[in-house]
Amino acid sequence: MTGRLAIVGLGPGAAELITPLAAETLASATDLIGYAPYLARVPERAGQRRYGSDNREELVRARQALGLAVSGKFVAVVSSGDPGVFAMASAVFEAMETGNSSWKDIEVTVVPGVSAMLVAAARVGAPLGHDFCVISLSDNLKPWHLVLRRLEAAAAGDFVIVLYNPSSNARPWQLGDALRLIARHRASATPVIFAHAVSQKDERIDITTLRDADPVNADMRTLIIIGSSATRLVICGKDRRIVYTPRHAELVEP
Ligand code: SAH
């Protein structure tokens, strides 16, 4: 009896940013698995089982989910933002590829969610309006030299750059290095956005520049958007600030 598994994106925090399809899928699952604080965002339902876990155990959690699904359950694995962006969907597919062969028969679906960068961008205007790339600064799962190589290429390519996982207690210096690297390619007045806890009650959005960007202002619940050479900061009225990247771009020599 092979069951089903859905990997469901919960959006960045606020209930209204959970899609109707995600809500429907969560309501029909028999079992929910995920990082405990994310599970806490899902309304309780009688008869539904919940398995909360630590954030670092992605593959363990993925295997547990597949094991439950293969026994006939409808399992929902919850993820923040979009489950395919630095999140559980890849872990589930990796566990499926490398695990028990019966797991390949499970019907797995990915239910997209609103990634935090989309809401952060919406708060300030349209900084992602042209070519952009997204880099995780975490070197838990990849060597720091690879992060540097990708940052260098993104900076030289004049992409708007979104940084996920910019900083944590265990990784205090990486963001400073990353910003210095990017500053070698970009004007010091380039707009930079620090978006903390987007759509949650302690949301804080700071618009600054590459010159003034202070790594101290980032933590695990922050993402950072660094403009390209085309990204504009516009002051409207007295003090309303809008950041956008135009729909057209010019060739800027690195
Ligand atoms: N799948 C998630 C990303 C998970 S990686 C998504 O699509 O949004 C975890 C990183 O995402 C955090 O370190 C932070 O950089 C970013 N992030 C997640 N939720 C956030 C929020 N509400 N506000 C700001 N950044 C957030």
Side-chain angles (χ1 to χ4, degrees):
M1 185 175 58
T2 300
R4 286 192 294 151
L5 188 152
I7 311 146
V8 182
L10 298 178
E16 67 265 27
L17 291 172
I18 298 180
T19 69
L21 178 60
E24 213 174 273
T25 308
L26 293 167
S28 49
T30 58
D31 296 70
L32 298 182
I33 299 194
Y35 179 43
Y38 299 157
L39 276 184
R41 289 191 206 160
V42 182
E44 299 268 356
R45 265 185 109 82
Q48 205 173 41
R49 293 204 59 177
R50 290 172 173 243
Y51 304 84
S53 64
D54 190 81
N55 199 19
R56 290 186 166 257
E57 307 165 359
E58 281 190 351
L59 261 181
V60 177
R61 193 187 311 153
R63 292 193 188 106
Q64 183 187 8
L66 288 159
L68 277 170
V70 89
S71 74
K73 301 287 182 33
F74 178 20
V75 183
V77 177
V78 300
S79 208
S80 85
D82 180 86
V85 177
F86 307 123
M88 280 306 293
S90 297
V92 169
F93 291 119
E94 185 176 339
M96 224 173 140
E97 184 189 6
T98 55
N100 192 315
S101 63
S102 65
W103 291 354
K104 293 208 174 71
D105 297 328
I106 299 168
E107 186 191 321
V108 178
T109 52
V110 180
V111 180
V114 181
S115 193
M117 67 182 155
L118 303 178
V119 181
R123 292 287 193 259
V124 299
L128 308 182
H130 206 82
D131 301 342
F132 66 95
C133 72
V134 189
I135 298 176
S136 168
L137 274 201
S138 171
D139 56 355
N140 291 338
L141 299 169
K142 64 185 170 190
W144 180 242
H145 276 284
L146 180 59
V147 179
L148 291 178
R149 186 194 294 175
R150 289 181 175 171
L151 283 170
E152 186 76 42
D158 199 22
F159 288 94
V160 170
I161 300 173
V162 183
L163 300 177
Y164 274 77
N165 297 303
S167 188
S168 71
N169 290 339
R171 296 183 291 103
W173 53 265
Q174 282 86 340
L175 177 59
D177 280 16
L179 292 171
R180 276 186 290 278
L181 183 157
I182 296 166
R184 291 206 293 273
H185 296 265
R186 303 236 164 128
S188 58
T190 301
V192 174
I193 297 134
F194 280 62
H196 173 81
V198 165
S199 89
Q200 297 174 15
K201 52 182 183 313
D202 53 344
E203 172 177 308
R204 202 183 60 240
I205 311 279
D206 293 319
I207 299 175
T208 179
T209 60
L210 207 40
R211 183 194 311 114
D212 295 328
D214 187 346
V216 170
N217 295 330
D219 62 13
M220 277 173 61
R221 296 166 66 218
T222 307
L223 69 83
I224 297 167
I225 303 176
I226 299 143
S228 70
S229 65
T231 303
R232 316 263 315 137
L233 168 64
V234 185
I235 315 283
C236 297
K238 241 178 147 192
D239 57 2
R240 194 156 74 95
R241 294 185 303 161
I242 289 171
V243 179
Y244 79 99
T245 305
R247 300 281 294 122
H248 52 86
E250 307 302 327
L251 182 61
V252 176
E253 294 307 328

